[in-house]
Amino acid sequence: GGTTSTGVYNDESSATMNNVTATATGGTSSNIGIENDSSDPTIRNSSITGATNSIDNDESSSAKIANTTLDGDVTGSRFTCAAVNDEDFDELDEDCQFVE
């Protein structure tokens, strides 16, 4: 429970995350799968879930994501995505946005 739920919190890091399942549920106001604060993670072969956002980049963060499922929208900027899909297996574009 609690107000905020965060699966993984990156603070001033350049983490390499492979085969990770990060899930954020149960927060009464915010559920973020991965929250990046001044961080530049590389995420591969993973599953990221957040009812509020799957990934949240602050203004000084970027994220490179490949072969990963995102369940929840991304927020912020500086996303680079390759072979990324949403929870319905719909393809996301190079900015991790839904392809229409």
Side-chain angles (χ1 to χ4, degrees):
T3 304
T4 303
S5 175
T6 303
V8 174
Y9 180 73
N10 291 316
D11 185 15
E12 297 183 9
S13 71
S14 296
T16 297
M17 303 170 67
N18 293 318
N19 301 309
V20 170
T21 299
T23 303
T25 59
T28 57
S29 69
S30 178
N31 296 283
I32 299 171
I34 296 177
E35 186 171 356
N36 295 314
D37 185 5
S38 300
S39 297
D40 302 307
T42 299
I43 303 163
R44 293 184 185 97
N45 303 310
S46 296
S47 177
I48 314 301
T49 301
T52 306
N53 297 106
S54 58
I55 303 176
D56 179 17
N57 281 350
D58 73 357
E59 65 279 352
S60 59
S61 294
S62 64
K64 294 179 182 174
I65 306 156
N67 302 310
T68 293
T69 298
L70 301 179
D71 184 352
D73 294 335
V74 297
T75 188
S77 59
R78 303 187 332 155
F79 290 94
T80 303
C81 294
V84 176
N85 58 273
D86 69 7
E87 68 278 10
D88 295 320
F89 296 98
D90 292 322
E91 178 184 6
L92 301 179
D93 69 10
E94 64 275 1
D95 297 315
C96 293
Q97 301 299 313
F98 183 70
V99 178
E100 296 192 35

